[in-house]
């Protein structure tokens, strides 16, 4: 998994990562950092790809070749995340959150959104478009503080998809998206400068998309797990979002069609009411306007 | 040694002036360019004459016309861009020249003809064109042809529309000079040049469920000599050669060209950079060349499992793929071309660089198309991108490359060492000084 010839930043710990992940602490911390750095980069690549897919959809007529290539990249990342168990971790966390806390939709969205918020911005205000979002930070048990120094020397482009089987993801906690990196934002920015936006505005833009991303990502697990009893707050939250927006078919062809259950189709499982009625391009356009409006609010323009 | 013979550009930068395709005709006398605004500009080579020995075959504007206009698809509420994606010349059959130009949805056949003589001395009408009074006509005369200022006019002779649901990326004239193919993201259609109301669908890779779509067609071309053979390339880095005699629908290929992936260089971007942006047969018909993001590969049509030659265009970008993915440059579609003798190939890169590879000597050169070093008769200097830590004088570091200045479209004269390079809204024409 680690590319050949990559300089290890932490040269004093020349020892290899512990096999089997038995010893979580010392020798494996280096590899933990590298692994989490890789996971972070992979996550950021996933986010970027999902944003691009959505932007594709917003264009006049999406370039099919580009959409297909990005969708394939997303699939590849998802497959790898499934293989190394990261996907399952997120499911478990989600269902744990469901079970533990009264299954309040607010809380559900709050944890995801806020964790991303903390990650992407430097303690910016809670967003208005998500009125149901609570104000608490990530629950402590889901938090893993990761110290990153620099970029960890692992670049996305040279990593092989073979998941490190010696690493039980459980040992280092949750998937990076749950990690709180309060003091690490600059580094995260640096880190993602290669791969993502470095500007404040870019982060804000990412924010909305990240939230959506989180919804999309977690939405797929709702398919696997039995959906919780319908919650009015949750329905209200998602009621005005166009279901077909996340339809891969729509994304790929730019044509509005009957919303089908696809790999990225989530709202139908999340919300209890049936699939949204077939919407025309105009309503999609009005949703786009709404989204623009929301983004303007975030950006503060 | 290459020297610049012409540089054409618009006076002010306008998005509509971005050149989107460049193509020499069969003799090389004419050079056509299409731009984002739907216009076609044709240049003609000046005949070298004793009077002007220094003109050295310059290309000057011959004709300009608006080929495609922006359209609106009311059904999908989407705009159809007027950008000219491809121009292909038809073989010349009479005094007029014909070409096919296409945007995303519609292909048009244009006839370009010139008039440099006019008739005078009609019997039935006078010089103004008014009919003469029959009583006044007392004698019969033969009209004479007198020279006039050359007038070039372009007229659309055929419009081939409504055959493509997706964006047309290629057109290719068949060697039978009667048919041509057009390819979009999922289908390839075969047309007869005389028939506009129907076309034959010969390749269809659209899955029943669009969500299963993982591969699209990126380019297609007819074989230069065998009118039943054509190839199409895909976004997964594969090329399929099809024989139209085998079946009406060529979904099953006759040959399948794919290079096995190098597992050590696998990354999340592997598929994207393997996507083929252009495929071109050699003039001989024995080889074909494909361009993917980082390299150009020459394939022998008789060997399917790997290319016979691979040329790295800008390997230094491999470590920058993440940034290039972020700014979308990784999706840029570069074209490639052969020289007339099939001994050299050329393709574009960033920072207005373009690369030429000599297949025999294995030498390659990087040149820059920029205003500073392209005064007429200026000699181009070889450029180099420094990849290591130490940057030599005159070298450019990877980080200072301008990724907005990309050369996607290049063309090589079919007989001589004259090349046309499109850099955004500028067209550069270079020729080999030794000639």
């Amino acid at each position: 998994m680690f590319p050949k010839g990559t300089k290890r930043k932490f040269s004093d710990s020349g020892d290899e990562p512990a096999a089997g992940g038995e010893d979580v602490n010392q020798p494996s911390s280096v590899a933990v950092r590298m692994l989490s750095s890789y996971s972070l980069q992979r996550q950021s690549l996933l986010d970027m790809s999902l944003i691009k897919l959505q932007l594709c959809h917003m264009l006049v007529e999406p370039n099919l070749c580009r959409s297909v290539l990005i969708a394939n990249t997303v699939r590849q990342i998802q497959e790898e995340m499934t293989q190394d168990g990261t996907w399952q971790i997120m499911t478990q966390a989600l269902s744990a959150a469901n079970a533990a806390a009264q299954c309040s939709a607010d809380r559900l969205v709050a944890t995801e959104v806020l964790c991303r918020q903390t990650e992407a911005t430097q303690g910016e205000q809670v967003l208005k478009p998500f009125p149901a979002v609570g104000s608490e930070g990530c629950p402590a048990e889901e938090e893993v503080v990761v110290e990153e120094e620099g970029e960890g020397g692992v670049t996305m482009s040279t990593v092989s998809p073979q998941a490190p089987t010696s690493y039980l993801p459980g040992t280092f906690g949750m998937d990076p998206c749950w990690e709180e990196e309060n003091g690490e934002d600059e580094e995260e920015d640096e880190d993602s400068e290669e791969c993502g936006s470095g500007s404040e505005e870019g982060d804000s833009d990412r924010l909305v998309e990240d939230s959506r991303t989180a919804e999309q990502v977690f939405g797929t697990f709702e398919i696997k797990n039995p959906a919780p009893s319908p919650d009015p707050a949750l329905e209200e939250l998602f009621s005005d979002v166009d279901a077909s927006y996340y339809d891969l078919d729509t994304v790929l062809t730019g044509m509005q069609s009957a919303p089908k259950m696809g790999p990225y189709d989530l709202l139908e499982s999340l919300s209890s009411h049936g699939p949204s009625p077939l919407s025309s391009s105009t309503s999609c356009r009005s949703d786009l306007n709404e989204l623009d409006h929301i983004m303007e609010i975030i950006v503060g323009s | 040694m290459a020297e610049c013979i012409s540089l054409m550009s618009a006076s002010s930068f306008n998005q509509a002036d971005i050149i989107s395709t460049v193509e020499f005709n069969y003799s090389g006398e004419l050079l056509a360019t299409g731009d984002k605004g739907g216009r076609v500009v044709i240049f003609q080579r000046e005949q070298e004459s004793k009077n002007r020995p220094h003109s050295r075959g310059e290309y000057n504007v011959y004709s300009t016309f608006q080929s495609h206009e922006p359209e609106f698809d009311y059904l999908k509420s989407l705009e159809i861009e007027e950008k000219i994606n491809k121009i292909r010349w038809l073989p010349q059959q009479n005094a007029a020249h014909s070409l096919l130009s296409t945007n995303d949805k519609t292909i048009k056949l244009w006839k370009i003809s010139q008039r440099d003589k006019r008739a005078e001395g009609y019997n039935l009408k006078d010089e103004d064109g008014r009919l003469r009074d029959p009583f006044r006509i007392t004698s019969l005369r033969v009209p004479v042809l007198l020279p006039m200022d050359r007038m070039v006019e372009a007229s659309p002779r055929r419009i081939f529309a409504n055959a493509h649901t997706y964006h047309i990326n290629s057109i290719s004239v068949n060697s039978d000079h009667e048919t041509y193919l057009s390819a979009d993201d999922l289908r390839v259609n075969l047309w007869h040049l005389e028939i506009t109301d129907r076309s034959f669908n010969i390749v269809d890779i659209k899955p029943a469920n669009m969500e299963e779509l993982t591969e699209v067609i990126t380019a297609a071309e007819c074989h230069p000599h065998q009118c039943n053979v054509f190839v199409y390339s895909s976004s997964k880095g594969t090329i399929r050669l099809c024989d139209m005699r085998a079946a009406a629908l060529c979904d099953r290929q006759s040959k399948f060209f794919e290079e096995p992936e190098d597992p050590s260089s696998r990354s999340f971007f592997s598929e994207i950079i393997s996507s083929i942006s252009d495929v071109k047969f050699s003039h001989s018909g024995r080889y074909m060349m494909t361009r993917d993001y980082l390299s150009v590969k020459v394939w022998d049509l008789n060997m399917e499992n790997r290319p016979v030659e691979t040329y790295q265009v800008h390997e230094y970008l491999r470590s920058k793929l993440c940034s290039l993915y972020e700014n979308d440059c990784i999706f840029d579609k570069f074209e490639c071309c052969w020289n007339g003798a099939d001994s050299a190939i050329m393709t574009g890169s960033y920072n207005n660089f373009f690369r030429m590879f000599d297949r025999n000597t294995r030498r390659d050169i990087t040149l820059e198309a920029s205003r500073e070093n392209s005064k007429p008769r200026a000699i181009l200097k070889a450029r180099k991108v420094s990849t290591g830590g130490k940057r030599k004088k005159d070298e450019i570091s990877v980080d200072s490359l301008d990724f907005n200045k990309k050369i996607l479209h290049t063309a090589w004269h079919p007989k001589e060492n004259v090349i046309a390079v499109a850099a955004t809204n500028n067209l550069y024409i270079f020729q080999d000084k030794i000639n």
Side-chain angles (χ1 to χ4, degrees):
Chain A
M1 162 188 161
F2 298 105
K4 288 182 193 169
T6 304
K7 248 168 108 177
R8 298 266 287 270
K9 284 274 183 174
F10 319 108
S11 52
D12 51 16
S13 38
D15 36 350
E16 298 294 285
E22 317 143 4
D23 189 3
V24 183
N25 301 323
Q26 280 295 16
S28 57
S29 65
V30 170
V32 173
R33 287 176 221 165
M34 292 184 78
L35 173 61
S36 56
S37 161
Y38 166 72
S39 299
L40 270 170
Q41 290 184 334
R42 181 176 62 184
Q43 188 67 46
S44 112
L45 184 64
L46 178 65
D47 295 345
M48 209 197 312
S49 305
L50 288 168
I51 293 170
K52 281 185 190 294
L53 275 177
Q54 292 193 347
L55 284 176
C56 276
H57 188 62
M58 291 183 200
L59 286 176
V60 169
E61 191 166 9
N63 182 335
L64 190 64
C65 181
R66 186 170 170 270
S67 308
V68 166
L69 288 173
I70 297 172
N72 288 351
T73 308
V74 171
R75 260 190 216 109
Q76 215 184 321
I77 298 175
Q78 281 188 332
E79 272 167 24
E80 192 187 296
M81 287 173 90
T82 311
Q83 273 174 15
D84 70 12
T86 323
W87 226 223
Q88 274 100 42
I89 298 298
M90 298 203 300
T91 322
Q92 285 164 18
L94 195 62
S95 52
N98 278 351
Q102 285 267 243
C103 186
S104 153
D106 305 353
R107 184 87 193 281
L108 198 77
V109 177
T111 51
E112 297 154 22
V113 169
L114 279 177
C115 282
R116 288 208 166 269
Q117 249 181 308
T118 330
E119 186 183 28
T121 68
Q122 296 175 16
E124 237 173 81
Q125 292 299 322
V126 172
L127 302 174
K128 285 184 202 157
F130 299 94
V133 168
S135 54
E136 286 77 31
C138 294
E141 64 271 14
E142 287 157 352
E143 195 181 303
V144 171
V145 177
V146 169
E147 274 139 26
E148 277 193 283
E149 293 186 21
E151 330 225 47
V154 178
T155 56
M156 286 303 289
S157 53
T158 53
V159 176
S160 80
Q162 297 308 315
T165 51
S166 62
Y167 262 93
L168 299 176
T171 59
F172 76 95
M174 302 304 165
D175 176 78
C177 86
W178 294 96
E179 288 160 358
E180 189 174 69
E181 294 174 77
N182 275 324
E184 310 297 332
D185 282 316
E186 279 160 30
E187 266 148 28
E188 220 251 338
D189 279 351
E190 247 174 41
D191 189 42
S192 61
E193 223 156 61
E194 259 197 347
C195 309
S197 56
S199 66
E200 199 73 56
E201 197 156 338
D203 284 340
S204 314
D205 290 352
R206 261 189 65 174
L207 212 82
V208 181
E209 306 304 339
D210 282 349
S211 313
R212 281 189 187 278
T213 309
E215 291 151 19
Q216 288 173 338
V217 160
F218 294 111
T220 56
F221 299 107
E222 287 301 324
I223 299 170
K224 289 180 195 168
N225 300 317
S229 53
D231 190 287
L234 181 59
E235 284 173 26
E236 195 200 308
L237 190 67
F238 294 120
S239 63
D240 59 352
V241 183
D242 187 358
S244 64
Y245 208 69
Y246 301 96
D247 195 319
L248 186 61
D249 189 353
T250 323
V251 165
L252 289 183
T253 63
M255 290 170 69
Q256 297 294 323
S257 57
K260 290 183 222 136
M261 206 56 135
Y264 309 121
D265 194 336
L266 53 109
L267 291 172
E268 300 185 14
S269 50
L270 274 180
S271 61
S272 68
H273 51 68
S276 313
L278 230 178
S279 45
S280 63
S281 303
T282 46
S283 78
C284 185
R285 285 279 154 85
S286 67
D287 285 336
L288 289 178
N289 290 334
E290 268 178 60
L291 186 62
D292 282 348
H293 181 59
I294 290 168
M295 285 179 63
E296 275 171 22
I297 296 171
I298 297 161
V299 168
S301 60
Chain B
M1 275 202 289
E3 74 163 346
C4 177
I5 52 175
S6 309
L7 159 58
M8 337 280 182
S9 72
S11 50
S12 58
F13 185 78
N14 190 353
Q15 278 281 319
D17 294 332
I18 295 175
I19 299 170
S20 50
T21 184
V22 186
E23 185 83 355
F24 279 99
N25 76 337
Y26 286 79
S27 63
E29 182 208 352
L30 298 176
L31 174 67
T33 62
D35 67 21
K36 207 165 174 229
R39 275 179 315 235
V40 172
V41 181
I42 301 177
F43 300 90
Q44 185 187 43
R45 197 171 197 194
E46 292 303 324
Q47 299 307 318
E48 294 186 31
S49 62
K50 294 193 191 86
N51 301 341
R52 299 175 58 213
H54 294 298
S55 67
R56 294 185 73 108
E58 279 173 11
Y59 281 82
N60 296 317
V61 178
Y62 178 67
S63 169
T64 304
F65 56 92
Q66 186 76 31
S67 171
H68 287 72
E69 300 273 1
E71 282 170 45
F72 194 77
D73 181 339
Y74 293 96
L75 200 63
K76 294 194 228 170
S77 289
L78 294 169
E79 247 193 34
I80 299 171
E81 271 196 298
E82 67 275 29
K83 172 167 76 91
I84 307 293
N85 292 336
K86 284 284 176 339
I87 289 175
R88 289 286 182 264
W89 289 92
L90 296 175
Q92 195 177 3
Q93 286 168 335
N94 49 37
H97 296 97
S98 303
L99 58 79
L100 289 170
S101 77
T102 185
N103 69 346
D104 284 338
K105 299 283 182 182
T106 306
I107 305 143
K108 295 187 184 180
L109 194 159
W110 288 87
K111 186 172 101 167
I112 301 104
S113 48
Q114 72 176 48
R115 279 199 296 171
D116 51 12
K117 292 182 181 55
R118 66 186 163 84
E120 253 184 36
Y122 285 104
N123 289 292
L124 296 178
K125 46 183 184 172
D126 61 24
E127 299 315 314
D128 302 339
R130 283 178 306 184
L131 289 173
R132 284 171 81 192
D133 200 358
F135 299 114
R136 301 278 176 80
I137 303 171
T138 51
S139 63
L140 208 58
R141 59 184 176 176
V142 177
V144 290
L145 289 174
L146 299 173
M148 62 180 254
D149 290 336
R150 186 181 75 181
M151 201 171 74
V152 180
E153 52 183 13
S155 58
R157 305 300 282 194
R158 307 264 187 281
I159 297 184
F160 304 92
N162 301 323
H164 286 280
T165 312
Y166 302 95
H167 292 175
I168 297 174
N169 52 52
S170 315
I171 48 174
S172 180
V173 182
N174 210 345
S175 53
D176 60 9
H177 300 171
E178 282 187 353
T179 57
Y180 74 96
L181 64 74
S182 61
D184 66 26
D185 294 316
L186 297 178
R187 299 190 176 99
V188 180
N189 291 335
L190 184 73
W191 301 83
H192 191 284
L193 285 166
E194 301 290 325
I195 299 169
T196 58
D197 61 355
R198 79 197 98 109
S199 71
F200 290 102
N201 175 239
I202 53 178
V203 174
D204 188 342
I205 64 167
K206 183 176 182 209
N209 183 359
M210 275 297 275
E211 286 180 1
E212 291 162 9
L213 181 67
T214 54
E215 193 174 9
V216 298
I217 296 172
T218 51
E221 202 183 36
C222 291
H223 191 278
H225 308 307
Q226 297 169 31
C227 58
N228 53 298
V229 172
F230 68 96
V231 292
Y232 67 93
S233 60
S234 82
S235 57
K236 286 199 171 173
T238 65
I239 308 103
R240 289 169 174 82
L241 186 145
C242 301
D243 187 334
M244 289 191 263
R245 296 172 302 189
L249 191 61
C250 302
D251 275 356
R252 270 201 308 191
Q253 65 271 3
S254 304
K255 295 197 188 192
F256 181 76
F257 298 84
E258 187 179 26
E259 183 170 28
E261 197 183 5
D262 177 12
S264 67
S265 63
R266 176 142 181 77
S267 74
F268 288 119
F269 305 109
S270 294
E271 187 182 315
I272 300 179
I273 62 169
S274 74
S275 173
I276 291 173
S277 51
D278 194 16
V279 65
K280 291 264 171 47
F281 279 105
S282 64
H283 292 91
S284 62
R286 250 201 83 182
Y287 300 97
M288 69 177 174
M289 164 166 62
T290 57
R291 174 72 156 99
D292 51 71
Y293 191 63
L294 297 178
S295 67
V296 181
K297 295 178 180 169
V298 175
W299 302 77
D300 184 325
L301 293 186
N302 298 318
M303 188 160 73
E304 299 168 53
N305 57 355
R306 60 179 172 82
V308 289
E309 293 155 31
T310 303
Y311 301 94
Q312 300 301 335
V313 181
H314 35 219
E315 184 67 12
Y316 46 79
L317 294 183
R318 196 179 283 273
S319 55
K320 308 274 177 201
L321 291 178
C322 198
S323 317
L324 294 165
Y325 180 70
E326 196 221 342
N327 64 16
D328 273 356
C329 283
I330 208 174
F331 300 107
D332 286 336
K333 292 189 190 301
F334 291 95
E335 291 173 12
C336 52
C337 58
W338 299 86
N339 71 340
D342 296 337
S343 60
I345 58 184
M346 171 168 65
T347 188
S349 177
Y350 293 104
N351 209 72
N352 279 350
F353 286 170
F354 59 99
R355 306 258 284 138
M356 292 201 270
F357 302 91
D358 186 320
R359 294 177 65 211
N360 300 325
T361 65
R362 292 307 177 121
R363 281 192 316 197
D364 62 86
I365 189 168
T366 305
L367 298 170
E368 182 179 358
S370 72
R371 293 179 149 271
E372 294 80 47
N373 38 353
S374 300
K375 312 273 186 310
R377 270 167 290 292
I379 305 292
L380 288 180
K381 199 174 59 164
R383 307 305 305 265
K384 195 152 165 25
V385 177
S386 75
T387 49
K390 278 194 186 166
R391 187 172 74 87
K392 296 191 193 114
K393 189 173 106 91
D394 280 353
E395 281 186 4
I396 296 193
S397 77
V398 184
D399 298 311
S400 38
L401 291 174
D402 188 343
F403 290 94
N404 292 319
K405 293 186 181 164
K406 47 193 97 171
I407 291 181
L408 304 172
H409 313 287
T410 58
W412 207 310
H413 191 290
K415 299 187 174 72
E416 298 180 28
N417 276 349
V418 175
I419 57 175
V421 174
T424 321
N425 59 338
N426 296 320
L427 179 71
Y428 295 82
I429 302 178
F430 301 109
Q431 93 177 359
D432 198 347
K433 192 170 194 251
I434 295 171
N435 273 2

